[in-house]
């Protein structure tokens, strides 16, 4: 899996420089109206430079016109470079991915059950293939028969093998992963070139990049600004003529390039590509940029309790004996009933017995014990040892079992059981034959740091809803312990769907994670549906993102990346427009220095000469693009604070800063220009 | 003298702020079809109008239908007003026997009054019959303001409705606005003006002998009634050429204050209407604050610049300072101002009339100092949003709100939302169009006029001041203001035609864009606000909004203003004249 790279990886930089020139093609440039205008300006100034050069001088002179032309070309190239850098970083990630897609062969099953060996590239959706231990799975698909351990490290970076089996929620396999043991029959679900890997490569390379809704809206605004400035500058020539002297066209073009929002125009597509990259670096595969953007808008997160809010399994935390029962007796029975119970709950009882009560594990086999597994009918498990029948299970089931055997249940049992349930725990009653001994307290363990995460989300205006199959009492207790805003107890796929629809009808955007086939409708309905890579094909196809790490908590990072994308665009737009103030004060007095020397009063920076003033502004305008490439690629730092605080902060940095910085920058460049006598 | 100069606009703003909540709430009631205390009297009239127009008042229109009705109504109005002027010689109520108005002038005047501009390339008392004034110009003063109000209300409906296909009925909105808001207020203001001595009669020009024995020609006319709607409807077309500097239109400081109040009150009160209709008064006050801040800034600039006096005169060694006592003088630049108003009332009026798209004047803007003139010109070039014309000011400002919301929304990392409506590509495109029209028309036409003989020959002054005269003319007409810098000779075929073009485009392209925004917003789902959406009623947002308005205006017009008033001021300081 691609890992975060250095920002300016030398090989990527070299490639980006080359492709910056390649992107000068007008057919590429026309997609970015702002930079297209700069390109036309560069051509015009270059022509004027050539005319001046051949004619041995002319309006603007040779050196000045030449330098302006040079820096205008740099402006275009820097913009191309920014985009190429973002694409290059994506491409580097794609190459990493591509390495995993070795040219494999597949054993395709014929209708008669025999197999034929074909190149993986010839497989079509619907074909069935047989994959043996040691072979690479030739394409995305679904296990239809068999069970195998699979090494998915090529995709997820996770080295521990995972189990893939037919039926259920662990049936999906990804092309490029390797079967380690056993064999599986796989039904291919993607045509060549349409697999996850292919999609991922195309996305990170920017090949399938489509502008997202907010990007389109912003592009429109930038075009409007460009048109306004175009008119302001074009009409300046008649006004100059009116005032007595034609303005130098080279300076007019320089003014235009400085005014139109080149900073954001140059970095806009780089920001978008980099946002996609950040998703991939978090091992999230977004099916479209639109989905990434929607993540920033999410109002409600639906989080599955198990695995997201709590650790996957319940753990025994306490053993409570009934009156008249020694603790040791209860511990002994609880451990006996759990020794052969391989469920996590059972194991946790054994661990608790050992760590808290000092009772070591025993081998049941030595004692000719017989294990009684849990079934949905009995709702209890246990062991028959030396004539004893030890059981643990759901309170009502064990109570009924005890009464069946003529035992009596002390009245103290009920309050203990209820108390545990009210506290969000699960009570397991332990009995030895007809004699109830006590209660095991099983508890959901809330993951560390969740309360803080939810608090941050609340500050960002995002509500969290916990989804659980537990009863309302248990759900409420865990909800309050973990700090989520709301919960849906006794959740079924239908109720989940209802909840999503209800929230959406109020205009809210919903994000959720899911892995099972029964999650698919909800994943499709949600605005951001993140399918776990371990999930079923149906779930992956229904969602618009796939988390390769299958970590449901990642939803929170996904939201942050979405927001960061928008914030970066908005901030650089503000910065770009704010820059214009200083540029006006640099260029307007210079432009009319000959007509109205009195306008020099507006030259508040006291720039040396009109020519150095214009050149300084143009150089600043070009260099600021390069200076901001790291910001565009990394994104403006996101803080989980309220919108008002965020706006105040960003307005201060990019608005006010955008006004002040160019005054300083242009002055410094002007000092340098005059120091080395460039003009 | 500066403190009392600025005290008057402060009192004015307080009066406006006091009147805003009740008047705004009243307009909200009227425009949403609720009963008011005027309904017992005017309700039957309203129903009569609907019956006459064969209108079902509860049949609403989609934005396209609304826009079509509005454009049809406006085109028909232009045609009617044009014919009335051309035929006035044959029609009654024409005591001075004025003949047909010149075709170019008639076109310009028709477009001018229908677009709520009231640019006047004619001398009222020497061109228009009383019938044309009353049945033509005064009627348009009402309905053109009504059209602006209707568009603003339609936009508010777009914001408040969810998943709706319609944004109201144009004819109903127009009728209600004129009948329940503009007419009653006009009657009230006209009565107050009459009481202070503004004339109201049907006389023509009359020869009278003065006390000193000389003969003088005095005009008459139904002035008070027209004066009231001239200000209330932010129209500005004076009965007389001298407009509100004429003592028959504006006799004393009290009428002066009253008229300023009248021209500011509805545009400001509409912010409260907006607040009430969107269900949050604070939203209304935020827009009010943004408008008031810009208005106050312009008033201060104009008054301070005028009180500072003329640099050329200062170089000649003339004392322009305010003085009390034996050598009492107002000081400052009194050229072109009425002594009964002085610098404070003239500067406040100049900033108010240019900020409200009214265009009525009580002083001669051409005679202002360069910076005073800059304030009036710039106030129009900001797009007439502080507080702007009746309705137009509010919808113009709301377009800026939309843009501010868009930028700010991105900066907090969400698809921008405004009062629960997502601001997306379509709204940005339309808002961009609405904002683009004015600078494009103003700059292109000014550029043409600044180089062709037909444009240059109309100037009164050469040099930067002449450029300002041309710029002012197109700024005024495109923004449907109508005030004149007055140095320029506007009644030429060139300026009559280019002006008509500017007024028409400057009015209706933004209106169509705004109605389209209304339709687009109305169809959207409403998103509930949360901590993630930034509020649009905080001082921070007011600051951002003011910033957006000023930055857009300044970035667009800085070059031409630098070559006009700014360089003029700098040159005057060196003693250079043209």
């Amino acid at each position: 899996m691609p890992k975060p790279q250095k920002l300016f990886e030398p090989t990527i930089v070299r490639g980006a420089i080359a492709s910056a020139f390649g992107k000068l093609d007008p057919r590429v440039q026309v997609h970015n109206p702002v930079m297209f205008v700069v390109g036309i300006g560069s051509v015009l100034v270059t022509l004027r430079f050539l005319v001046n050069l051949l004619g041995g001088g002319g309006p603007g002179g040779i050196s000045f016109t030449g330098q302006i032309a040079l820096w205008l070309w740099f402006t275009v190239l820097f913009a191309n470079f920014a985009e190429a850098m973002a694409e290059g970083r994506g491409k580097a990630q794609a190459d990493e991915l591509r390495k995993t897609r070795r040219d494999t062969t597949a054993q395709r099953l014929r209708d008669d059950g025999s197999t034929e060996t074909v190149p993986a590239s010839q497989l079509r959706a619907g074909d069935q293939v047989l994959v043996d231990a040691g072979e690479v799975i030739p394409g995305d698909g679904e296990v239809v028969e068999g069970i195998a351990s699979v090494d998915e490290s090529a995709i997820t970076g996770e080295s521990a093998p995972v189990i893939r089996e037919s039926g259920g929620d662990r049936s999906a396999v990804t092309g490029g992963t390797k079967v380690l043991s056993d064999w599986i029959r796989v039904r291919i679900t993607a045509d060549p070139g349409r697999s996850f890997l292919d999609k991922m490569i195309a996305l990170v390379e920017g090949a399938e990049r489509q502008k997202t809704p907010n990007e389109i809206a912003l592009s429109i605004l930038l075009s409007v600004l460009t048109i306004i400035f175009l008119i302001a500058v074009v009409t300046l020539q008649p006004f100059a003529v009116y005032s007595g002297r034609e303005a130098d066209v080279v300076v007019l073009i320089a003014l235009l390039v400085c005014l139109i929002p080149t900073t954001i125009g140059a970095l806009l597509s780089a920001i978008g590509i980099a946002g996609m990259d950040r998703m991939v670096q978090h091992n999230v595969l977004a099916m479209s940029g639109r989905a990434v953007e929607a993540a920033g808008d999410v109002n409600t997160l639906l989080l599955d309790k198990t695995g997201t809010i709590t650790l996957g399994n319940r753990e025994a935390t306490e053993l409570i004996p009934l009156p008249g029962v020694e603790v040791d007796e209860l511990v002994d029975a609880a451990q006996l009933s759990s020794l052969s119970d391989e469920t996590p709950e059972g194991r946790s009882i054994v661990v608790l017995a050992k760590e808290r009560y000092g009772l070591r594990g025993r081998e049941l086999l030595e004692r000719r014990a017989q294990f009684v597994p849990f079934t949905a009918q009995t709702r209890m498990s246990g062991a028959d040892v030396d004539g004893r029948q030890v059981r643990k299970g759901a309170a009502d089931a064990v109570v009924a079992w005890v009464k069946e055997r003529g035992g009596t249940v002390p009245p103290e049992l009920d309050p203990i059981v209820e108390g545990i349930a009210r506290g969000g725990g699960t009570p397991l009653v332990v009995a030895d034959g007809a004699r109830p001994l006590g209660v095991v307290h099983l508890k959901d363990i809330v993951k560390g740091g969740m309360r803080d995460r939810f608090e941050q989300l609340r500050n960002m205006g995002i509500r969290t809803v916990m989804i659980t199959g537990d009863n309302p009492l248990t759900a409420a207790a865990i909800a309050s312990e973990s700090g989520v805003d709301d919960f849906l107890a006794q959740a079924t796929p239908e109720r989940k769907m209802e909840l999503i629809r209800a929230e959406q009808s109020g205009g809210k955007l919903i994000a959720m994670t899911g892995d099972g086939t029964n999650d698919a409708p909800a994943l499709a309905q949600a605005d951001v549906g993140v399918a776990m890579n371990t999930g079923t094909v149906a779930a992956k196809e229904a969602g618009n993102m796939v988390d390769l790490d299958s970590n449901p908590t990642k939803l929170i990072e996904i939201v942050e990346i979405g927001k960061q994308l928008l914030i970066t665009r908005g901030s650089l737009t503000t910065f770009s427009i704010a820059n214009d103030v200083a540029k006006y004060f640099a260029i307007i007095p210079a432009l009319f220095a000959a007509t109205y020397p009195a306008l020099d009063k507006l030259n508040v920076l006291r720039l040396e000469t009109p020519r150095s003033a214009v050149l300084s502004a143009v150089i600043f305008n070009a260099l600021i693009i390069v200076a901001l490439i790291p910001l565009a690629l990394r994104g403006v730092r996101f803080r989980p604070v309220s919108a008002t605080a965020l706006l105040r902060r960003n307005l201060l940095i990019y608005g006010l800063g955008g006004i002040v910085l160019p005054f300083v920058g242009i002055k410094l460049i002007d000092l340098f220009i005059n120091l080395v006598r460039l003009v | 003298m500066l403190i009392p100069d600025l005290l008057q606009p402060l009192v004015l703003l307080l009066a406006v702020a006091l009147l805003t909540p009740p008047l705004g709430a009243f307009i909200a009631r009227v425009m949403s079809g609720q009963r008011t205390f005027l309904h017992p009297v005017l309700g039957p009239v309203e129903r009569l109008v609907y019956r006459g127009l064969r209108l079902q008042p509860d049949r609403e229109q989609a934005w396209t239908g609304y826009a079509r009705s509005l454009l049809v109504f406006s085109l028909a109005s232009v045609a009617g007003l044009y014919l009335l002027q051309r035929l006035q010689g044959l029609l009654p109520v024409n005591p001075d026997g004025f003949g047909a108005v010149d075709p170019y002038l008639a076109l310009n005047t028709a477009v001018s009054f229908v677009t709520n501009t009231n640019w006047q390339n004619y001398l009222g008392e020497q061109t228009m019959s009383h019938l044309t004034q009353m049945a033509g110009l005064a009627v348009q003063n009402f309905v053109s303001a009504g059209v602006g109000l209707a568009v603003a209300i339609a936009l508010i409906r777009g914001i408040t409705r969810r998943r709706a296909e319609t944004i109201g009925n144009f004819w109903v909105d127009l009728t209600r606005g004129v009948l329940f808001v503009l007419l009653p207020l006009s009657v009230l203001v006209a009565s107050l003006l009459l009481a202070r001595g503004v004339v109201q009669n049907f006389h023509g020009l009359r020869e009278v002998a003065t006390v000193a024995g000389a003969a003088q020609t005095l005009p008459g006319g139904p002035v008070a009634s027209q004066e009231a709607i001239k200000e209330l409807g932010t129209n500005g077309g004076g009965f007389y050429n001298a407009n509100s500097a004429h003592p028959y239109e504006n006799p004393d400081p009290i009428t002066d204050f009253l008229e300023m109040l009248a021209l500011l009150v509805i545009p400001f009160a509409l912010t409260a209407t907006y607040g009430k209709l969107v269900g949050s008064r604070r939203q209304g006050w935020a827009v009010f604050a943004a408008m008031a801040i810009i208005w106050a800034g312009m008033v201060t600039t104009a008054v301070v610049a005028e009180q500072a006096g003329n640099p050329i005169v200062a170089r000649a060694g003339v004392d322009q300072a305010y003085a009390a006592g034996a050598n009492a003088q107002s000081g400052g630049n009194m050229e072109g101002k009425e002594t009964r108003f002085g610098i404070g009332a003239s500067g406040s009026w100049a900033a108010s009339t240019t900020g409200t798209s009214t265009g009525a004047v009580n002083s001669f803007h051409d005679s202002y100092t360069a910076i005073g003139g800059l304030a009036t010109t710039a106030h129009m070039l900001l797009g007439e949003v502080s507080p702007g014309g009746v309705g137009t000011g509010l919808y113009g400002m709301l377009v800026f709100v939309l843009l501010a919301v868009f930028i700010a929304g991105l900066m907090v990392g969400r698809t921008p939302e405004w009062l629960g409506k997502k601001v997306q590509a379509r709204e940005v495109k339309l808002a961009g169009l609405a904002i683009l029209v004015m600078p494009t028309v103003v700059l292109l036409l000014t550029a043409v006029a600044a180089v062709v003989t037909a444009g240059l020959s109309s100037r009164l002054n050469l040099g930067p001041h002449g450029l300002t005269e041309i710029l002012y003319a197109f700024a005024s007409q495109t923004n449907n203001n109508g005030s004149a810098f007055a140095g320029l000779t506007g009644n030429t075929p060139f300026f009559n035609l280019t002006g008509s073009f500017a007024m028409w485009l400057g009015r209706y392209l933004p209106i169509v864009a705004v109605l389209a925004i209304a339709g687009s917003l109305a169809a959207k789902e409403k998103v509930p606000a949360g901590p993630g959406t930034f509020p649009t009623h905080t001082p921070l947002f007011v600051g951002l909004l003011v910033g957006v308005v000023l930055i857009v205006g300044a970035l667009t017009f800085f070059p031409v203003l630098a070559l006009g008033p700014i360089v003029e001021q700098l040159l005057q300081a060196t003693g250079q004249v043209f």
Side-chain angles (χ1 to χ4, degrees), chain A residues 213-214 216-218 220-221 224-225 227-229 231-232 234-243 255 259 293 296-299 458-462 504-509 562-564 566-571 573-574 577-578 580-581 584-585 588-589 592 596-602 638 641-648 650-651 654-655 659, chain B residues 162-163 403 406-417 422-426 428-430 432-433 435-436 439-440 442-444 446-451 456 459 461-468 470-471 525-528 530-535 538 540-541 544 551-552 554-560 562-563 566-567 570-571 573-574 576 578:
Chain A
N214 278 315
I216 293 172
L218 183 56
I220 292 170
L221 181 68
V224 168
L225 287 170
I227 295 172
I228 288 187
F229 288 126
I231 292 166
V234 166
T235 53
L236 203 46
Q237 187 63 289
F239 299 145
V241 171
Y242 174 96
S243 305
L255 175 63
L259 292 179
E293 237 182 47
D297 288 348
V298 161
N299 304 82
R458 204 168 298 124
N459 288 339
M460 285 153 60
I462 297 172
Q504 282 176 334
S505 72
K508 289 181 176 164
L509 261 61
K563 286 191 177 296
Q564 199 185 23
L566 295 187
I567 294 174
T568 309
R569 286 197 201 123
S571 300
T573 304
T574 308
I577 298 168
D580 283 358
V581 176
Y584 260 137
F585 279 101
I588 291 290
F592 297 106
Y596 291 129
L599 273 179
D600 195 47
K601 276 250 167 65
L602 294 183
F638 176 76
V641 292
S642 76
T644 308
L646 207 57
L647 180 62
R648 184 176 301 125
N650 287 336
L651 268 182
Y654 298 98
I659 291 177
Chain B
R162 52 188 289 246
R163 295 198 187 175
L403 275 194
F406 181 72
I407 304 247
L410 289 183
M411 271 197 286
V412 302
R414 288 176 71 91
T415 295
E417 285 157 25
K422 280 200 158 50
V423 177
Q424 288 160 315
R426 183 170 162 77
V428 172
K429 191 188 294 176
L430 291 165
L433 177 71
I435 286 181
L436 200 56
T440 308
V442 170
L443 285 174
L444 288 180
T446 307
V448 170
V451 288
L456 293 171
R459 289 174 302 165
N461 300 83
L462 303 175
H465 199 76
L467 183 63
T468 312
I470 298 174
L471 174 67
E525 182 57 84
K526 232 175 156 64
V527 188
T533 42
F534 70 91
T538 57
L540 179 69
F541 185 76
L544 178 69
I551 289 258
V552 168
L555 292 182
T556 315
F557 293 107
F558 183 76
V560 65
L563 293 179
I566 294 175
V567 78
L570 295 173
L571 291 175
T574 65
Q576 191 180 345
F578 289 84

Side-chain angles (χ1 to χ4, degrees), chain A residues 369-390:
Chain A
Q370 195 185 351
F371 178 59
V372 181
F374 177 90
T375 67
Q377 284 75 39
T378 60
R379 293 192 293 143
M380 62 176 102
S381 63
D384 295 342
V385 190
D386 305 336
R388 286 166 70 192
Q389 288 184 308
V390 189

Side-chain angles (χ1 to χ4, degrees), chain B residues 230-231 235-237 243-244 263 349 353 358-362 365 481 483:
Chain B
K230 177 185 100 178
E231 318 295 3
N235 292 290
N243 209 303
S244 289
L263 64 85
W349 183 297
T353 194
T358 305
V361 291
N362 74 349
H365 292 183
N481 181 285
S483 72

Side-chain angles (χ1 to χ4, degrees), chain B residues 13-100:
Chain B
L13 186 60
L14 281 177
V16 169
L18 279 177
L19 289 173
T20 289
L23 182 56
F26 174 76
I27 297 175
R29 284 188 73 82
V30 166
M31 299 312 285
S32 41
Q34 292 168 299
R35 273 185 79 79
T36 63
F37 68 96
L38 289 174
H39 273 75
V41 186
L42 294 174
V45 184
E46 183 190 4
R47 285 192 288 280
L48 200 67
V49 172
Y50 296 154
R51 211 167 305 141
L53 291 173
R54 295 208 192 134
L55 199 74
Q56 286 169 299
D58 47 359
R59 270 270 288 277
E60 294 212 340
Q61 298 168 303
W63 81 264
T64 43
Y66 202 101
R68 205 175 304 126
S69 298
L70 188 152
L71 290 175
V72 165
F73 175 75
S74 300
L75 274 170
S77 296
V78 169
L81 194 51
Y82 178 82
L83 286 177
L84 187 62
Q85 294 175 76
R86 298 287 290 149
L87 301 175
Q88 69 174 4
L90 311 172
L91 296 169
V93 205
N94 186 4
D96 295 313
F98 295 131

